[in-house]
Amino acid sequence: MSTLAADYEKTEIGTIQIAPEVIEVIAGLATVEVQGVAGMSGGFGGGIAELLGRKNLSKGVKVEVGQREAAIDVSIIVEFGNRIPEVASSIQRNVKQTIESMTGLSVVEVNVHIHDVQFKTPDKLAPQEEETAVLRVK
């Protein structure tokens, strides 16, 4: 899906245009606030931006924006142990509601692409696991 520039909305005192990048950021933030989302999957370009020290708030989001409607694609990483269909449905509802309330655009579709599952890693081994680890490694 490509990012298209929105047409201008004319008012009596001027025009209003919401940049597609704004829609991408809103969709990205609405996605990561859903429980069960470990992160966004942005591919190679997003990884380069993060290596350069920039936080890419639209990572993993593609939009098509018209004058009155928007279609959104989000690519995510799910936390292990969550029901994927429930997480995806929550993302669809939250993204649709957030974009419609903030921009006035009608969201015609929100497509959720699951790219990975993230497993929780223990921060520190339990005391008995530490002893076992010490005995095994010499």
Side-chain angles (χ1 to χ4, degrees):
M1 216 178 239
S2 63
T3 303
L4 301 174
D7 295 332
Y8 288 100
E9 182 177 326
K10 296 188 186 305
T11 65
E12 48 189 62
I13 59 173
T15 58
I16 300 170
Q17 181 185 26
I18 301 171
E21 294 81 13
V22 172
I23 308 298
E24 289 175 350
V25 170
I26 293 169
L29 291 172
T31 299
V32 296
E33 69 185 21
V34 171
Q35 183 176 354
V37 176
M40 302 298 287
S41 178
F44 183 72
I48 295 293
E50 287 180 4
L51 287 175
L52 297 173
R54 292 189 308 229
K55 182 74 173 166
N56 187 0
L57 297 176
S58 61
K59 174 182 177 181
V61 181
K62 291 190 186 341
V63 301
E64 280 188 37
V65 183
Q67 188 170 2
R68 293 183 181 90
E69 297 178 336
I72 319 299
D73 280 292
V74 294
S75 300
I76 66 161
I77 300 168
V78 176
E79 292 176 349
F80 179 77
N82 290 281
R83 289 187 42 95
I84 293 174
E86 289 175 8
V87 172
S89 292
S90 295
I91 290 169
Q92 288 175 321
R93 283 190 304 273
N94 199 40
V95 168
K96 179 176 173 63
Q97 179 184 4
T98 304
I99 290 175
E100 288 181 347
S101 68
M102 290 185 72
T103 66
L105 292 171
S106 174
V107 176
V108 293
E109 63 183 34
V110 178
N111 301 307
V112 180
H113 307 277
I114 315 302
H115 283 239
D116 201 359
V117 175
Q118 182 177 35
F119 297 94
K120 296 178 183 177
T121 56
D123 293 334
K124 188 172 181 176
L125 295 173
Q128 67 188 31
E129 291 175 347
E130 283 182 6
E131 291 173 12
T132 306
V134 172
L135 294 176
R136 290 181 51 203
V137 179
K138 296 193 186 224

